[in-house]
Structures are given as structure tokens and as C-alpha cells.
Amino acid sequence: FAVIGSACFASSVTHTISTGVVVLEIMGSMRLLMPVLGCVIISFLLSRFLTNKVGIYDRLAFNRNLPFLFELPLSKYSLEA
């Protein structure tokens, strides 16, 4: 349970899902694949919902007045796929 909890905490703080993959690589046990990834995805989505989609790295850059790239609306793009 400690491994799953630490992966969930890291995922919710950094707003990344890749922390679950890193934890699985460190542990070397694929037996924990579904519990870790399931809990990581839930904590990621919950943290995005509760913190208005702002992660800790974005918040640090904003507080230090570093250049910050905001999301542009789709009308600004002239490219079509």
C-alpha cells in the first residue's frame, strides 16, 4: 500500500501519469501494474479537478514571474491536420 500511496501522491503533486510507470520500473513487479496505474489515474484526475489544472511546476513558475506559456484558443491556429 505504501508504494501505491507514494505513486499517487507524486502523480497528484506533479500532474503527471508517468510517475506510475517510474514506480513500476523501480519496483520491477508487474503484479502491481493495475493497482498502481488505476490509483495514479484516479489521483491525477482528482488533482486536476480540484486544483483548476495547475500543477506545482506551473505554480512555481508563476510565483517567480518566469515566462509562462498559456493555452491558446483553437482559433489562433491556422494549421489543419
Side-chain angles (χ1 to χ4, degrees):
F1 292 114
V3 172
I4 296 171
S6 63
C8 290
F9 176 75
S11 174
S12 63
V13 168
T14 60
H15 284 230
T16 58
I17 298 177
S18 61
T19 54
V21 176
V22 171
V23 167
L24 287 172
E25 288 289 328
I26 291 172
M27 292 299 295
S29 174
M30 289 299 127
R31 190 173 54 120
L32 296 174
L33 177 73
M34 292 308 289
V36 168
L37 288 183
C39 291
V40 162
I41 290 172
I42 290 170
S43 68
F44 168 76
L45 293 174
L46 188 62
S47 68
R48 296 279 289 194
F49 175 73
L50 293 176
T51 60
N52 207 13
K53 298 183 181 177
V54 179
I56 190 169
Y57 300 120
D58 297 334
R59 181 58 55 199
L60 288 173
F62 185 74
N63 288 346
R64 294 180 182 176
N65 294 325
L66 296 173
F68 189 76
L69 297 175
F70 292 99
E71 292 183 21
L72 295 175
L74 291 177
S75 62
K76 298 283 183 175
Y77 297 109
S78 61
L79 299 173
E80 293 183 18

